[in-house]
Amino acid sequence: DGGITQSPKYLFRKEGQNVTLSCEQNLNHDAMYWYRQDPGQGLRLIYYSQIVNDFQKGDIAEGYSVSREKKESFPLTVTSAQKNPTAFYLCATRRGQGTTYEQYFGPGTRLTVT
Amino acid sequence: AQTVTQSQPEMSVQEAETVTLSCTYDTSESDYYLFWYKQPPSRQMILVIRQEAYKQQNATENRFSVNFQKAAKSFSLKISDSQLGDAAMYFCAYRSVLSNFGNEKLTFGTGTRLTIIP
């Protein structure tokens, strides 16, 4: 089946540890995005990538890092520098460079840091 | 910078009735896209409907339609014949037409939680 896979669905980490969230897609979409969702707030953009080996910071990139070595994969690392890492993280993709194309979302990963 | 405001944190509607969710936005751009996304309890974000700002005709997708008032910067979602499966958080989102760096993102409102009363 074509789609976006985020694993795991729930992730628990101790404070001070880095953690990497996985996002894989087999839609052959060019652009990929990471959003963060907190209670009572809308989604906020962390990083996005339009092509392999290139990515751009979003609104809240501090404390996060990404890589885009393959078209299919866009992992997000939450570093110990992120002050409030507990949140729901959503990965999204968009087809091509056309401005009409909407973003499609994965199922998300709930990260809890204690 | 663009902002999106959803002033109704919660709404409820009787099954089979019609409900309208409000969204306003602020932008200096003349061309852009607006979206409504649905997030059910599974938390998967699902696109409900899309509107291009240059189109005067309101978008419609089955039981979902929008009332797009460009001058008022208003983009409301109407759900007709509400069903139990419509219960979810609904997010309004804005995207610039420009696809160069810095305009790729969706700007989301804070959401409206819709409850369907059987």
Side-chain angles (χ1 to χ4, degrees):
Chain A
D1 287 351
I4 305 167
T5 304
Q6 289 187 247
S7 60
K9 190 170 179 66
Y10 299 96
L11 193 53
F12 298 89
R13 279 294 183 271
K14 294 291 187 185
E15 194 173 326
Q17 294 179 340
N18 291 355
V19 59
T20 298
L21 280 61
S22 167
C23 178
E24 303 280 334
Q25 56 106 354
N26 60 7
L27 301 169
N28 200 33
H29 286 181
D30 292 306
M32 298 186 73
Y33 308 80
W34 275 105
Y35 289 89
R36 170 182 171 137
Q37 186 178 23
D38 294 284
Q41 296 191 39
L43 280 65
R44 293 180 291 166
L45 182 67
I46 305 172
Y47 267 99
Y48 65 94
S49 167
Q50 290 185 315
I51 56 173
V52 174
N53 292 323
D54 191 70
F55 47 83
Q56 303 295 318
K57 291 182 179 180
D59 296 324
I60 55 167
E62 186 177 349
Y64 299 97
S65 66
V66 293
S67 63
R68 186 87 186 276
E69 297 176 0
K70 299 185 301 181
K71 188 175 184 178
E72 300 79 17
S73 178
F74 191 41
L76 173 74
T77 297
V78 184
T79 75
S80 56
Q82 169 50 230
K83 290 183 173 52
N84 297 296
T86 295
F88 187 62
Y89 291 87
L90 285 153
C91 176
T93 70
R94 185 171 67 85
R95 174 167 59 102
Q97 294 294 309
T99 58
T100 60
Y101 299 133
E102 53 265 18
Q103 294 183 17
Y104 295 90
F105 287 82
T109 292
R110 171 70 183 176
L111 173 64
T112 302
V113 177
T114 57
Chain B
Q2 295 83 19
T3 59
V4 177
T5 302
Q6 293 180 251
S7 59
Q8 306 156 315
E10 296 184 358
M11 292 279 286
S12 61
V13 63
Q14 205 80 28
E15 192 176 1
E17 296 295 310
T18 295
V19 64
T20 298
L21 308 183
S22 301
C23 173
T24 59
Y25 57 94
D26 188 27
T27 183
S28 59
E29 298 175 333
S30 59
D31 204 7
Y32 45 85
Y33 294 96
L34 296 165
F35 304 87
W36 278 98
Y37 279 88
K38 168 185 176 180
Q39 188 178 43
S42 67
R43 304 200 76 174
Q44 175 90 45
M45 293 287 284
I46 302 164
L47 178 67
V48 175
I49 200 164
R50 180 185 75 189
Q51 174 79 43
E52 290 94 339
Y54 66 87
K55 290 186 178 179
Q56 293 186 341
Q57 186 173 8
N58 289 325
T60 300
E61 287 287 342
N62 300 314
R63 297 182 296 107
F64 298 88
S65 62
V66 299
N67 183 6
F68 173 50
Q69 302 289 328
K70 190 173 184 180
K73 296 180 181 174
S74 171
F75 182 59
S76 60
L77 175 69
K78 185 172 83 171
I79 305 174
S80 304
D81 185 25
S82 297
Q83 300 175 0
L84 294 177
D86 295 333
M89 282 288 287
Y90 285 82
F91 291 94
C92 178
Y94 172 103
R95 182 179 183 272
S96 174
V97 167
L98 301 173
S99 63
N100 56 308
F101 287 170
N103 288 307
E104 278 288 320
K105 70 176 183 181
L106 288 171
T107 300
F108 284 86
T110 53
T112 296
R113 182 174 302 281
L114 178 64
T115 301
I116 310 297
I117 303 167

